[in-house]
Amino acid sequence: MRPTLPTAAAASLALVPIAREIFSGPMAYAMMAGIIVGTLLTLLLLPALYVAWFRMQPVHEDPSPTHESASSLLEASSPEMISVPEPVPVLETQIQQ
């Protein structure tokens, strides 16, 4: 929402100066309405349609709080659970000498 709302607000507010003109006024009102309706559809309807289309379900139904402290997660993890990615090979042409 953070990048979408200011962009839509700036676009629709930029049309306010020409909304009072006789020739381009109706076009400005139509564009402002389209921007506002499109933004609302993007933020509200599209995520709901995505969830319904792909039949997404909650991952787990654990009654415990979702935000756990990092220390409790570290204490609960065992060394076998930690995976270290393999190092990426570096080409000789990438090394600046």
Side-chain angles (χ1 to χ4, degrees):
M1 284 180 59
R2 194 177 293 176
T4 305
L5 286 178
T7 303
S12 59
L13 290 176
L15 295 169
V16 170
I18 63 169
R20 291 300 196 156
E21 295 182 12
I22 294 172
F23 181 69
S24 59
M27 178 191 65
Y29 284 120
M31 289 177 66
M32 284 190 284
I35 290 169
I36 292 169
V37 169
T39 302
L40 291 176
L41 287 176
T42 301
L43 293 176
L44 300 175
L45 185 67
L46 231 56
L49 286 176
Y50 182 85
V51 168
W53 182 266
F54 291 106
R55 295 182 180 101
M56 298 174 72
Q57 299 294 325
V59 177
H60 59 82
E61 296 180 12
D62 189 15
S64 66
T66 56
H67 299 289
E68 297 180 14
S69 65
S71 61
S72 65
L73 289 175
L74 287 176
E75 292 170 1
S77 66
S78 63
E80 294 83 27
M81 292 178 56
I82 299 173
S83 63
V84 179
E86 296 181 19
V88 178
V90 178
L91 298 175
E92 292 180 12
T93 57
Q94 293 175 338
I95 300 174
Q96 299 286 332
Q97 293 186 9

